[in-house]
Amino acid sequence: MKKMMISGVTALALLTGGIVGFGSVGSSVEAAQATTKFKDVPATHWASSAINSAVEQGYFKGYADGTFKPSSPVTKAEMASILGRLSDQPNATTQEQNNFTDIPEWAKSGVSIAIAKGFINPSNYKGKLDAQGALQRGEMATWLTQGLTVVDPEYKQAISDVTNTVVPAKEYFTGKLASAQKNAVAVALGTGLMSVANDKTFGVDRTTTRAEVAVLIARYAAVAKTKPADFQGLNELRAVGLTGTNLNIIAPKYQKAGPEKFSESYDYSKVTGDFGKVRNQELVTVTNYADLKVKNWIIVNPYVKETERSIYYPVFVDEKDRLLRGAYYSFTEFDISIKNSMNQLQAGSLIHSPTINALTSPSTKAFSEYGPKHINDLLGPKGVFIVKNPVYWGHGLLHFDKSLNPGVRLTLKDGTNYTVVPN
């Protein structure tokens, strides 16, 4: 990212920590040296390198008392001004006007430029930005991902593709992730632009700190130079959003079964390898205790190195977990409509498959921390379901060993047959 000059003494004072009488960025060496003197940013601070870089490039400066205040919140006006100074960010094709009535004089130009660069969409607001309010992480995700759509239109398509995806953040599983922010949060996570905290939450309502902004500036620059298709995590989120599964990305050897897998009399035109055609549709069940739909189907390969893992690995799998005979983990979100009553064992008999298995939910620490619905939350005495329409995640295995009959087959009541096998 190029170093940019700052115009306006007052704007700089507010933006970089309150030191007035400073009209330009100055020497990068001087700025870098200044960061070593921050009493509250030791070399061991998690964002020390990013803070050094942000100060060197003139985005921030320390306070008069020798501190940086890395945990202090950043206001919307401050963040807009920072984003407006990203010289590598192109202007949006369609220009919107800065019609906000609550922007302080020092920030008006910066906010207008941030709007022109596509970070802020005034039509999402009602004339007021709440410019002096602290910027929350959910809104930060929205601003940054909107900026990406200007850099590469494929990011706009990605934001659309993840509308129905499973977001690997606790708020999604607990129903606390607002639909208005879901897509932005998904893309922010899928690109590595932002991440969940130790408590597994994205923290949409948490304020954004000066240290976080320093990190995000560098991350945004890197993501903006990368094609959406180059992020495996984003590819998974898009695939799940569009089809309900990440199978083709994590286990591409599983493909539509050929006609030789069926009898000559079978109508092969009804066979599909597109999971999207059976997602959220009523399936033919082995037993008649309930009607069954599959909302989502997530595959996790536990054998790859950490940098190549599924974005869903941390949600379902503990670090110590490994499988035998090369099987992958299979996690299925079921939507069941019980006809009279049904117990846990009977749920497991609805479909005879080691992969699409409604008998149990994951018992991992990770699963409990992220908070997806567990089958045990829905069972009463003697393992009988206490709700008529249970929706929960099941745990199965995706096999590759042909001696274990690894094919996965689901049939809809209209005759559509989803069958995939490892080739």
Side-chain angles (χ1 to χ4, degrees), residues 49-83:
S49 295
I51 290 171
N52 290 347
S53 178
V55 171
E56 179 181 345
Q57 296 178 81
Y59 292 110
F60 288 103
K61 189 173 177 66
Y63 288 84
D65 62 358
T67 64
F68 181 78
K69 299 189 183 344
S71 299
S72 294
V74 172
T75 68
K76 296 181 186 182
E78 289 170 341
M79 189 63 201
S81 295
I82 290 175
L83 294 175

Side-chain angles (χ1 to χ4, degrees), residues 20-135:
V20 295
F22 186 84
S24 65
V25 175
S27 166
S28 295
V29 174
E30 292 173 350
Q33 290 175 343
T35 65
T36 64
K37 300 178 182 179
F38 295 144
K39 297 183 292 187
D40 53 352
V41 185
T44 55
H45 189 280
W46 67 273
S48 61
S49 295
I51 290 171
N52 290 347
S53 178
V55 171
E56 179 181 345
Q57 296 178 81
Y59 292 110
F60 288 103
K61 189 173 177 66
Y63 288 84
D65 62 358
T67 64
F68 181 78
K69 299 189 183 344
S71 299
S72 294
V74 172
T75 68
K76 296 181 186 182
E78 289 170 341
M79 189 63 201
S81 295
I82 290 175
L83 294 175
R85 292 167 43 232
L86 297 181
S87 63
D88 289 340
Q89 176 74 15
N91 285 335
T93 303
T94 302
Q95 293 291 306
E96 293 202 35
Q97 296 300 312
N98 181 358
N99 59 3
F100 296 123
T101 60
D102 63 339
I103 309 298
E105 191 64 33
W106 67 266
K108 286 182 178 179
S109 175
V111 171
S112 294
I113 297 173
I115 293 172
K117 291 180 178 293
F119 290 108
I120 302 172
N121 185 350
S123 63
N124 292 337
Y125 300 85
K126 296 181 180 180
K128 291 187 177 182
L129 184 64
D130 185 22
Q132 303 286 35
L135 180 64

Side-chain angles (χ1 to χ4, degrees), residues 273-345:
D274 181 0
F275 191 79
K277 293 184 177 180
V278 299
R279 180 191 199 185
N280 292 321
Q281 303 297 316
E282 285 195 9
L283 301 172
V284 174
T285 56
V286 177
T287 56
N288 199 37
Y289 297 109
D291 293 324
L292 178 68
K293 299 177 183 178
V294 172
K295 294 169 66 67
N296 294 289
W297 180 29
I298 304 298
I299 303 299
V300 173
N301 176 359
Y303 308 108
V304 295
K305 57 186 179 181
E306 187 171 352
T307 55
E308 298 174 357
R309 287 176 178 172
S310 165
I311 195 170
Y312 294 107
Y313 187 109
V315 178
F316 295 101
V317 183
D318 290 339
E319 287 292 333
K320 61 180 177 61
D321 293 340
R322 292 293 184 272
L323 296 174
L324 298 174
R325 303 181 73 172
Y328 289 5
Y329 289 105
S330 169
F331 305 101
T332 310
E333 186 178 19
F334 294 102
D335 183 347
I336 301 175
S337 180
I338 299 172
K339 295 180 177 179
N340 293 303
S341 67
M342 185 176 72
N343 61 36
Q344 183 177 6
L345 290 175

Side-chain angles (χ1 to χ4, degrees), residues 46 50 54 59-60 74 79 82 135 140 208-218:
W46 67 273
Y59 292 110
F60 288 103
V74 172
M79 189 63 201
I82 290 175
L135 180 64
M140 171 69 86
T208 307
T209 67
R210 283 163 59 83
E212 288 172 331
V213 169
V215 172
L216 286 171
I217 290 170

Side-chain angles (χ1 to χ4, degrees), residues 182-216:
K182 174 185 175 181
N183 294 38
V185 170
V187 172
L189 290 173
T191 57
L193 183 58
M194 301 176 77
S195 59
V196 298
N198 291 334
D199 64 0
K200 314 308 179 187
T201 64
F202 183 84
V204 290
D205 296 331
R206 287 200 295 266
T207 56
T208 307
T209 67
R210 283 163 59 83
E212 288 172 331
V213 169
V215 172
L216 286 171

